[in-house]
Amino acid sequence: MNEVEARPEGNEQHGESLFSLEAPRRIRALDQDVVNKIAAGEIIVAPVHALKELTENAVDAGSTLIEVLVKDGGLKLLQISDNGHGIDREDLPILCERFTTSKLKAFEDLTSIGTYGFRGEALASISHIAHLQVTSKSRESSCAWKAIYADGKLVPGKPGQSADPKPCAGKQGTQITVEDLFYNVPTRRRAFRSASEEYSRILDLLGRYAVHCSGVGFSCKKHGDSSLGISVSASATTIDRIRQVHGSAVANELIDLEASSDRWGFKATGRVSNANYHVKKLIFLLFINHRAVESSAIKKAIEQTYSIFLPKGTHPFVYLSLEIDPQRVDVNVHPTKREVNFLNEDEIIESVCDEIRTRLGKVDTSRTFMTQSLLPGVQPPAVSSSAADSPTQTPKTQQAPDSGGKFSSFPTRQTPIGTRPYENNLIRTDSKARKITSMYQTVPQHSDRSIEDDSRATTAVGEADNVNQILRSSSSMNYEQVVREPRMCRLTTIKDLRAAVRDDQHNGLTDIFATHTFVGLVDTRRRLAALQAGVKLLLVDYGLIFAEYFYQLGLTDFGNFGTIKLDPPLRLNDILTVAAEAERKLVPPDDADSLNWEEVVSDVHDEIMSRRDMLAEYFSFDLSPDGDLQGLPLLIKGYAPSMAKLPRFLLRLGPHVNWTDERECFRTFLRELAAWYVPEPQRQIAKSAAPSRTDAGEAPDEDVEMLDSSTADDNEKNDEEEQEIATRRAELQHAIEHVLFPAVKARLVATKGLLKGVVEIANLKGLYRVFERC
């Protein structure tokens, strides 16, 4: 009792309230007016959203001219007039009821929707939070009809009058007037900061549609102003529309963008700025199936693409219109239709960014600058001695006729005149320049057997001269094009693995690989190559790089691999037996004897055969019911993995692939597949010299003849092996430089784990500092 009295008074009241709680309230249906106002607040968040809905309705009505009048940022007055088809008198009574539309009949129509609006909620929502008046005249009507709405229903204009639409004078089309927006939602109305800020948002929205909607004229102005905020004629081209909305500075620096793919079912068109134009804030106009939407994934990918062309901290202008098969797009995912979902998003984004990178690369090969030359007969400007002595303003001479018809020379201006770049900032930009591999020389090693060594040296020198012939013989792989529908990957496990790669991305390293220049192979035994990135020379472990690239390639093309046909097929059990024998030689003798290798082969064989259907469906891994290996996955064209690594690859599928968990199964299998595809270290088999008579002792003549015959066979076998090694070496060197590294440059998302495989070995600025000390 004392303890209870010692508690504070507030706690006593709280304790008593625990026993005085009311019984749980019953669930009741909300009043329809409350439901409509809540829905209106979700759809019409600001005046710009109301204007977006009305503008899209006007474009759907076939208008060629849309005029907008705004007062107090659209809160006091928002009026939009068009010259479209108009609304029939019979449709006006239900015009502002929820879910009334002329663009949709069945839910299945959403899969092929081709209009902006489809839900029939815009006008209904506006009528619940504003005073709405509609005046419309259709082509068949002899006059216009005016109707006033409140809470989704017709209301009289004045007390005592009829609520039916009234005939009036009017022109073809529809005029919708929205007054006192959010008059009955005071908290929402007070949330808007200023009318000018809302007006700027309205101009931005109309500017987007003015650029995209060809054949439609737009105008917008404030109430009481004589000047127009936006004015675009219906006959203006896309370039003219961008010039009138965003200015001539960007319109003069635009390049066309076109990309399409029947496989992914899309077509992209637009205008993007070149490397000469950049601003502090990205201007991004995105339309998907002619609907103005936002996409952070597309925006981020485009900005990353431009980052290698523009100065740091600057951004481009991008107008992009994507037309995607309506059956691949879900437009009903956002109340204001600001976002949409579509299939194969990663692949479409990659295709668009590749096209932008290609177009920018072509334009960026040469820059044009404005220059001005002196007219004939004009006196040349005097060049001061200081200017003549300046190394940064060295004048050129140009021949021009003087008044007597003779030619005289005068200095011309260098435009633009800038500071002379320091040599330590100059980098090689021509990837066709001399590479490090062209400096290799074959030095013959002389010994007592000079004739034999000289012949070998000649063979080694001739090997470099016959590289093209070797490549022609090694590139005899026949590719057969098979037309089939691409498999749409809807597996969440694959999407999660792709997302994991993106989350682990290292932006700086990705830019390095996206802009690198291949210098040459440094050490093919340790799989090292030299790359140039800016003014830096890097040493990279291309085994590690290619392993990550082939893993990402497997995720990207999952379920759509090509097939390497094996003719004749190989017995899976025989290949696993070969791999087991090779592994047995690599482990310690005690461990090798304690392991039942036949059981290992049998277990791996049964495991692979039990997954035969799944391997064929997802990985193009073709196994017959009898255990014949008929086909292997083909990841990239122009490069074939080493078949000598095939047995070990197949054997590792047993213990190193988690077959019980779907996500881990796909991840570990693709990792093993990537490891098989990585180019093997290039080793050279040395020829064994034939033993001499002194080494063999005093052998009989018949033994000497047998020894000479065996030695000849061994030498012939070694020659064949060295020829195979030389052929494979030429194939790999060509594929690494001309197939694999270009593919890495185009598609690799460098992860943070690749940092350990990249080492900076030289920096041009650092070298200049070293030379200055000398």
Side-chain angles (χ1 to χ4, degrees):
M1 209 40 203
N2 294 333
E3 294 179 1
V4 175
E5 292 176 356
R7 291 178 181 176
E9 184 178 357
N11 289 347
E12 290 181 5
Q13 294 178 357
H14 179 69
E16 293 176 359
S17 64
L18 293 177
F19 299 96
S20 61
L21 289 175
E22 297 180 0
R25 289 175 288 184
R26 302 292 300 273
I27 298 176
R28 295 176 297 178
L30 289 175
D31 185 72
Q32 191 62 35
D33 182 64
V34 177
V35 173
N36 292 331
K37 287 184 179 180
I38 292 175
E42 293 178 351
I43 298 172
I44 309 300
V45 182
V48 67
H49 296 104
L51 179 64
K52 177 179 182 294
E53 299 289 346
L54 299 178
T55 302
E56 291 177 348
N57 287 342
V59 176
D60 285 339
S63 306
T64 59
L65 179 61
I66 298 176
E67 299 174 341
V68 179
L69 182 64
V70 181
K71 184 177 182 180
D72 290 345
L75 295 172
K76 188 66 176 177
L77 173 66
L78 184 63
Q79 185 180 84
I80 178 169
S81 306
D82 65 67
N83 61 349
H85 303 314
I87 304 172
D88 292 334
R89 162 70 175 80
E90 293 77 12
D91 295 337
L92 289 175
I94 64 171
L95 176 65
C96 290
E97 292 184 6
R98 291 189 69 192
F99 310 120
T100 55
T101 179
S102 62
K103 305 160 188 174
L104 193 67
K105 293 183 180 180
F107 180 77
E108 290 74 15
D109 295 341
L110 280 175
T111 60
S112 59
I113 193 73
T115 57
Y116 291 107
F118 54 86
R119 284 196 293 248
E121 290 187 289
L123 289 175
S125 300
I126 294 174
S127 69
H128 283 87
I129 56 177
H131 299 126
L132 180 63
Q133 175 180 302
V134 178
T135 303
S136 183
K137 178 182 180 298
S138 61
R139 182 175 300 177
E140 295 78 11
S141 178
S142 59
C143 64
W145 296 91
K146 180 187 296 184
I148 301 175
Y149 298 88
D151 296 332
K153 301 177 182 179
L154 284 170
V155 296
K158 295 181 180 179
Q161 294 182 352
S162 173
D164 295 336
K166 304 294 189 298
C168 64
K171 59 182 180 179
Q172 170 77 27
T174 303
Q175 183 183 81
I176 298 179
T177 304
V178 181
E179 295 180 296
D180 299 324
L181 192 61
F182 301 115
Y183 75 95
N184 54 357
V185 191
T187 54
R188 177 71 62 84
R189 190 178 179 93
R190 288 196 299 267
F192 298 105
R193 297 179 180 179
S194 64
S196 59
E197 182 177 348
E198 298 303 317
Y199 181 67
S200 63
R201 293 179 179 176
I202 289 175
L203 291 180
D204 177 71
L205 174 75
L206 285 178
R208 292 173 181 268
Y209 281 97
V211 170
H212 179 73
C213 298
S214 59
V216 183
F218 289 83
S219 67
C220 178
K221 70 174 184 177
K222 288 184 179 180
H223 183 269
D225 287 357
S226 57
S227 60
L228 295 173
I230 284 181
S231 178
V232 177
S233 63
S235 59
T237 63
T238 303
I239 296 294
D240 293 335
R241 291 170 180 267
I242 296 175
R243 178 177 289 107
Q244 294 171 10
V245 176
H246 297 280
S248 299
V250 60
N252 295 332
E253 303 292 348
L254 295 178
I255 56 178
D256 294 337
L257 175 64
E258 291 184 3
S260 61
S261 173
D262 295 334
R263 179 181 182 183
W264 308 122
F266 84 97
K267 178 182 179 182
T269 58
R271 300 288 192 280
V272 297
S273 60
N274 58 25
N276 293 327
Y277 178 83
H278 48 82
V279 288
K280 293 183 178 180
K281 185 178 180 180
L282 174 67
I283 304 176
F284 185 39
L285 314 181
L286 175 62
F287 289 81
I288 297 181
N289 288 356
H290 305 288
R291 188 185 306 277
V293 296
E294 297 177 2
S295 174
S296 58
I298 299 178
K299 181 179 178 181
K300 182 179 179 180
I302 290 179
E303 283 200 284
Q304 183 178 350
T305 301
Y306 267 95
S307 63
I308 61 178
F309 295 94
L310 301 182
K312 185 178 181 181
T314 61
H315 305 276
F317 170 92
V318 176
Y319 159 57
L320 177 62
S321 175
L322 285 175
E323 295 183 25
I324 306 175
D325 185 0
Q327 296 183 356
R328 299 170 180 249
V329 182
D330 186 3
V331 297
N332 192 27
V333 297
H334 197 276
T336 62
K337 299 187 282 288
R338 187 178 62 184
E339 299 176 0
V340 297
N341 291 340
F342 54 93
L343 299 178
N344 306 114
E345 180 180 7
D346 295 340
E347 291 79 4
I348 292 177
I349 293 176
E350 183 178 355
S351 299
V352 172
C353 291
D354 287 344
E355 183 64 22
I356 292 177
R357 191 180 296 110
T358 301
R359 297 296 177 99
L360 291 176
K362 292 179 180 178
V363 174
D364 201 41
T365 54
S366 63
R367 298 281 184 91
T368 58
F369 301 92
M370 299 298 295
T371 60
Q372 182 176 358
S373 301
L374 293 177
L375 297 175
V378 178
Q379 294 294 330
V383 180
S384 62
S385 59
S386 61
D389 296 337
S390 175
T392 62
Q393 299 182 1
T394 304
K396 285 185 177 181
T397 59
Q398 178 175 326
Q399 299 293 328
D402 57 13
S403 57
K406 298 181 180 179
F407 284 88
S408 60
S409 63
F410 59 86
T412 61
R413 293 178 56 189
Q414 295 292 311
T415 307
I417 298 177
T419 59
R420 183 178 179 180
Y422 291 103
E423 289 82 355
N424 60 354
N425 290 326
L426 296 177
I427 62 174
R428 185 187 71 169
T429 58
D430 185 8
S431 60
K432 297 180 181 179
R434 189 179 185 188
K435 298 181 175 59
I436 192 172
T437 50
S438 64
M439 305 177 188
Y440 291 169
Q441 294 182 0
T442 304
V443 180
Q445 298 180 356
H446 296 281
S447 63
D448 295 337
R449 294 175 297 156
S450 59
I451 298 178
E452 181 181 357
D453 289 339
D454 289 342
S455 63
R456 292 182 182 179
T458 305
T459 304
V461 174
E463 177 184 327
D465 298 334
N466 296 329
V467 169
N468 293 330
Q469 180 179 357
I470 294 174
L471 291 178
R472 284 194 297 268
S473 63
S474 64
S475 61
S476 58
M477 292 180 291
N478 296 323
Y479 291 95
E480 179 181 353
Q481 199 77 15
V482 178
V483 179
R484 66 179 182 184
E485 284 294 325
R487 183 188 302 274
M488 304 303 168
C489 181
R490 297 182 177 89
L491 298 176
T492 56
T493 52
I494 294 299
K495 293 181 179 180
D496 292 343
L497 291 174
R498 294 173 180 173
V501 172
R502 289 193 295 267
D503 294 340
D504 196 33
Q505 178 180 359
H506 189 282
N507 295 329
L509 197 58
T510 301
D511 293 340
I512 287 177
F513 283 114
T515 59
H516 79 270
T517 300
F518 182 80
V519 178
L521 296 174
V522 177
D523 190 340
T524 57
R525 185 178 60 85
R526 293 188 294 170
R527 294 188 291 198
L528 300 177
L531 305 180
Q532 178 183 334
V535 294
K536 298 178 181 180
L537 184 63
L538 306 175
L539 190 66
V540 300
D541 179 359
Y542 64 79
L544 183 66
I545 306 302
F546 292 158
E548 180 64 27
Y549 166 74
F550 284 120
Y551 171 70
Q552 296 180 14
L553 189 61
L555 290 176
T556 304
D557 296 345
F558 186 84
N560 295 284
F561 299 138
T563 305
I564 302 175
K565 292 293 185 181
L566 299 180
D567 187 17
L570 303 176
R571 294 290 298 174
L572 177 61
N573 192 76
D574 296 342
I575 302 176
L576 294 175
T577 303
V578 172
E581 291 295 333
E583 289 292 326
R584 185 173 185 174
K585 298 178 181 178
L586 297 177
V587 299
D590 295 339
D591 296 338
D593 296 337
S594 62
L595 194 60
N596 189 342
W597 292 96
E598 294 181 358
E599 184 178 353
V600 170
V601 171
S602 177
D603 292 344
V604 175
H605 179 273
D606 295 341
E607 186 70 45
I608 295 176
M609 290 301 298
S610 64
R611 315 286 178 175
R612 184 171 62 89
D613 295 335
M614 184 270 289
L615 293 175
E617 181 180 1
Y618 291 146
F619 303 106
S620 300
F621 202 95
D622 191 6
L623 277 169
S624 69
D626 297 332
D628 291 335
L629 183 60
Q630 300 173 337
L632 295 167
L634 176 63
L635 298 185
I636 189 171
K637 193 175 180 180
Y639 166 72
S642 174
M643 300 306 290
K645 297 169 59 179
L646 178 62
R648 179 177 174 82
F649 162 63
L650 295 176
L651 186 63
R652 287 177 61 89
L653 294 183
H656 292 278
V657 175
N658 187 348
W659 298 101
T660 58
D661 182 75
E662 180 178 320
R663 185 179 187 272
E664 285 302 304
C665 174
F666 293 152
R667 185 187 68 83
T668 52
F669 185 91
L670 290 176
R671 287 294 184 187
E672 293 300 324
L673 181 62
W676 176 47
Y677 258 85
V678 172
E680 70 276 13
Q682 301 174 35
R683 296 182 178 88
Q684 184 174 3
I685 299 178
K687 290 185 180 180
S688 58
S692 62
R693 282 174 169 255
T694 56
D695 296 334
E698 296 295 332
D701 293 340
E702 56 270 16
D703 293 339
V704 173
E705 292 177 0
M706 293 175 60
L707 184 62
D708 292 340
S709 176
S710 175
T711 303
D713 294 339
D714 291 341
N715 290 338
E716 183 178 356
K717 184 177 180 180
N718 289 337
D719 290 340
E720 294 177 357
E721 291 179 353
E722 286 203 353
Q723 183 62 32
E724 293 178 1
I725 292 174
T727 303
R728 179 61 179 172
R729 185 188 300 114
E731 290 177 0
L732 282 181
Q733 291 177 357
H734 180 271
I736 289 172
E737 179 178 356
H738 300 286
V739 178
L740 297 183
F741 268 110
V744 165
K745 186 174 184 179
R747 300 187 60 171
L748 178 67
V749 176
T751 55
K752 298 172 185 176
L754 299 182
L755 289 172
K756 60 184 179 182
V758 180
V759 178
E760 179 182 332
I761 58 175
N763 187 305
L764 195 59
K765 295 181 180 180
L767 292 177
Y768 266 83
R769 287 195 292 267
V770 173
F771 294 150
E772 287 172 357
R773 297 193 193 103
C774 299

